Amino acid sequence: MPALPLPALHASHAGTWVRTPTGVTRGVGKGEAIMAAADTPLLLLNAPLVATRLGYPDLSGLDLLELFAFVHPARFVVPTPKGLAHALNLPEPASDDAVPLLLQEAAGALIETCESEDWVEREGAWSGLQSLVRLRWPWAQVIAPHIRKPERAEKWLFSKLPEWEEAPERPQPAQVTLDESEVEARLEDLTGHGAERREGQRAYAKEAGRVFAPRDRRGTPHILLAQAGTGIGKTLGYLAPASLWTERSQGTVWVSTYTKNLQRQLRRESKRAWPEARPDGSRPVVVRKGRENYLCLLNLEDALQGGFGGRAAILAHLVARWAAYSQDGDMIGGDMPGWLGTLFRNRAIRSLTDQRGECVYAGCPHYRKCFIERAARASAQADLVIANHALVMVNAARGRDHAQRPTRIVFDEGHHVFEAADSTFSAALTGQEAIELKRWIIGPEKGSRNRRRGLAARLADVASCDEAGGKAIVQACDAAEALPGDGWLQRLAEGNPFGPIEALLAAVRAVTYARDESGGQEAGYGIETEAAQLDGNFVELAQQAAASLASIRQPLIRLGVRLEALAEDAPDWLDGAGRARIEGARHSLAWRIDTLSAWEALLNRLGGPTDPEFVDWLAVERSDAREFDIGLHRHFLDPMKPFAKVVLEPAHGVMLTSATLRDGDDWNAAIARSGAPYLEGQPLLTSAESPFDYAGRAEVLIVTDITKGDIAALAGAYAHIIEASEGGVLGLFTAIRRLRAVHGRIADRLARAGLPLYAQHVDPIDTGTLVDIFRDDPNASLLGTDALRDGVDVPGRSLRCVVMEQVPWPKPSILHRARRAANGGSAHDDRLIRARLAQAFGRLIRSAEDSGYFIVLSSAFPSRLLNAFPAGTPVHRLTLADALQRIATGVFSERGNGAARVPEEERDQQ
């Protein structure tokens, strides 16, 4: 089909172009573009991004991404003109003014697909379109004539999805010991016979095999800390012994990551060791995430049947299209396009998942088709479960089934285990958390259109047939009325708190504002103060709040006892589905009871002696000076203590591995942050150095003439560096405000030079998609914060400079102050900074052919931090002008043919 004859609009930082249906393209001003978009629907690509570029948030039109999501659900596309062209086999636009024509051609190509007999995603399209017509989806009338009505009525999504099947519990794994020669042979099988022999990888794999040996004593697992430099091939290094052990023992290995990017990489690499499916159809490898990542079919049904309105309703129907073709229903980092939610605002996406544990389990009509339950059951039968740190810890702490609790674990990205444990084993009594608990117990407040139901509705049959259980539900619901409700922040601001919890939160707010000395009040940031030296009135309010929480916890405990009795001695009316629902309710109850107990412990400590194991503080969470939460917080001083008890002790073998596990050659910090010191015995230690030639292919440039706080100079430095390297720059910031200020000053200028600049917290695009865009365009650059400092894998020319705006000093929080004092003062800070620098540097060289510069725009760079970089890496302290000359004439002089080696005599000797 030829280009669709509809007007098209493209806006970038370089300008704005409109193309008429008759084929005339011209540059226009923002005002004229906005007027054109208001007059008639225009073809667009990523409407929220175009709206941001035009400064017109109400922009709407015919977004090609929405059409792509309808025609090709669950198919990947980079949401840029270049990415769309590649996905549809169209010529890549040579310049911005050629993009409107591409949009017309892409629309024509997608409509042509709808008419094709080879359209693989045809099933369900006609039925879905009928609903989208009623919702007035802009594309509906355009494509309706091109999608023929099927001869037979199409199945409703919820009848079309396959059901999962129950399977017997796997027997406990056999006790086997792996021989080093066997591990080496398995590694050779995975890497391919004839592949380059990497001695570091072979030694690493043999060491990894040691964690699978039989355990000698209860509570004393084999623990291995394995440093593996970039390029070692650590993924196959530990998958080799893991696959051999699962084959011999018929057990399950869990590999845990911190980032979704590594999960995807692991899934690809695991195909070398395991088939896609076993002969019986079950999957030997399963990716497992928290419940909040998966589509909830009951929430989707509610949305499709009127629970959503306006644009959110259109999103629900596009999600239904995706659900019919999704591999596993994973909405966050799975095969759902990351950009889909941002086209409709992410809140709608989140509301289609099980965010706060309101699942009714077997009481759900879609229970047998549930993506979440399917993943849980598949993981119980899997040889390899790919999960994340938080899920592994939560499963170990409160898994519903002991078979789901991991006992052989590889923590990849092991340097993040400490912070994952810090989050998992902390407690926060805040307004938002209390509201969620209230809704879980009582249900949504009156007037809400939310489908969520309270305890009484979820356990109505129990309440009607078990007097004690019904009484406990009523008591819990009555007591939960004292928890904060909608409008609580406004009541606190007006000095009219309702109930003991809101009264305490009002006192927290007052004390925090009175005591904070961080400067965050004026800057609009969140503020905090330590929970110490509190007056008698505050302590009394805390005790009243604790008593209120206890009055909720006690009937929940009684309800849990009644549910346990029902499960053990089931009455005649309780069928299998009912028992499963009761088991789910017991699990959710235990979670809430533990939460209430932690809150009470936090409140009962106030006014008494300090517990040296914990750090407690009060906080007002703010964004741009707007308060969004208030509460009390408690963290373990060392979260590896509960981690050791909950995760390590029950395990038989645990491996923590990373390219940045230890501090230089010092293992002490890595051991301390592994949890091993809380167990008997010593952990095994191993190290494999990177094979990359850092001395010849990378340089560290410390720019000495950018004054701290001079935003204009900082922005100018970024612009000059991006121009000198012709894109390919990853800019890392420690403050969102500075990131936004720099982006605002230089994005237009760079775009006019053909160097697009994207930024977190500026562009309405999720982080994963921003990285996809950056990876896809060697001329693009990307600015971001901590989320981009680790886990970003962009090999090749797309990333050739990493620029840090300053030394990544730790944020001076109350929690950091306590840990700093307990761990050697400034030496603790230096370890953290070196780890962050090493992680950031690790983004630069991802393959043997990569090369580039690591640049720090700060003269205040202490020499003691230089050992964060690989040994032999040249380091230069120089002015910006000298740095730019080095970038422009150095490693990039041989474009497209790898790096030009910097002559030995030009390197500074450190």
Side-chain angles (χ1 to χ4, degrees), residues 12 99 101 103 135 190 258 263 502 531 536 631 780 825 846 892 895:
S12 75
V99 172
L101 172 59
L103 301 185
L135 292 170
L190 299 188
Y258 191 72
Q263 282 188 336
E502 286 191 17
R846 306 300 298 172
F892 308 122
R895 292 189 182 87

Side-chain angles (χ1 to χ4, degrees), residues 505-711:
L505 295 177
V508 169
R509 182 177 185 271
V511 170
T512 306
Y513 272 104
R515 294 184 175 183
D516 175 69
E517 299 181 57
S518 67
Q521 293 189 40
E522 293 73 21
Y525 301 140
I527 56 175
E528 61 182 22
T529 189
E530 60 186 318
Q533 302 299 314
L534 300 166
D535 63 26
N537 179 61
F538 190 103
V539 174
E540 184 177 347
L541 289 172
Q543 293 305 309
Q544 293 171 2
S548 180
L549 295 174
S551 69
I552 301 171
R553 177 175 53 83
Q554 290 160 2
L556 292 182
I557 291 175
R558 291 195 291 272
L559 176 59
V561 171
R562 293 308 307 153
L563 293 179
E564 184 177 2
L566 282 173
E568 292 179 354
D569 186 16
D572 294 340
W573 54 265
L574 192 64
D575 58 11
R579 282 194 293 270
R581 180 163 49 84
I582 285 177
E583 281 301 315
R586 287 177 59 197
H587 171 70
S588 296
L589 273 173
W591 174 11
R592 269 62 187 201
I593 290 167
D594 288 347
T595 298
L596 285 163
S597 297
W599 289 354
E600 290 176 61
L602 170 57
L603 295 180
N604 289 327
R605 203 282 303 165
L606 300 177
T610 300
D611 188 333
E613 285 200 348
F614 296 99
V615 181
D616 301 336
W617 72 93
L618 320 177
V620 178
E621 306 295 337
R622 305 195 306 167
S623 176
D624 294 329
R626 183 185 66 83
E627 296 177 9
F628 62 87
D629 207 1
I630 299 168
L632 303 94
H633 298 261
R634 162 168 279 195
H635 283 235
F636 274 88
L637 181 64
D638 184 2
M640 304 318 289
K641 183 174 183 178
F643 172 80
K645 183 72 177 176
V646 171
V647 181
L648 296 183
E649 273 193 20
H652 288 241
V654 178
M655 176 179 179
L656 282 78
T657 185
S658 168
T660 56
L661 203 58
R662 66 186 183 188
D663 181 28
D665 294 325
D666 184 1
W667 280 104
N668 290 328
I671 294 170
R673 292 168 74 90
S674 71
Y678 293 102
L679 303 178
E680 293 183 17
Q682 294 295 316
L684 306 169
L685 307 175
T686 188
S687 177
E689 299 303 321
S690 172
F692 294 157
D693 178 19
Y694 290 109
R697 306 191 74 87
E699 289 187 349
V700 175
L701 307 182
I702 300 173
V703 176
T704 59
D705 57 347
I706 304 297
T707 303
K708 184 176 181 180
D710 188 341
I711 295 296

Side-chain angles (χ1 to χ4, degrees), residues 293-308:
N293 288 273
Y294 295 95
L295 173 67
C296 169
L297 293 174
L298 191 56
N299 284 349
L300 177 62
E301 183 181 39
D302 177 66
L304 294 175
Q305 294 182 345
F308 281 12

Side-chain angles (χ1 to χ4, degrees), residues 487-497 502-503 505-506 509 630:
W488 70 279
L489 274 171
Q490 182 67 28
R491 288 193 293 276
L492 263 60
E494 294 172 350
N496 296 310
E502 286 191 17
L505 295 177
R509 182 177 185 271
I630 299 168

Side-chain angles (χ1 to χ4, degrees), residues 2 37 54 95 114 162 164 269 352 392 422 427 552 564 603 657 666 737 756 775 909:
L54 294 178
S95 58
C114 295
W164 48 260
E269 296 280 13
L352 291 173
V392 169
D422 191 27
I552 301 171
E564 184 177 2
L603 295 180
T657 185
D666 184 1
R737 285 193 170 191
R775 183 185 294 113
Q909 299 299 315

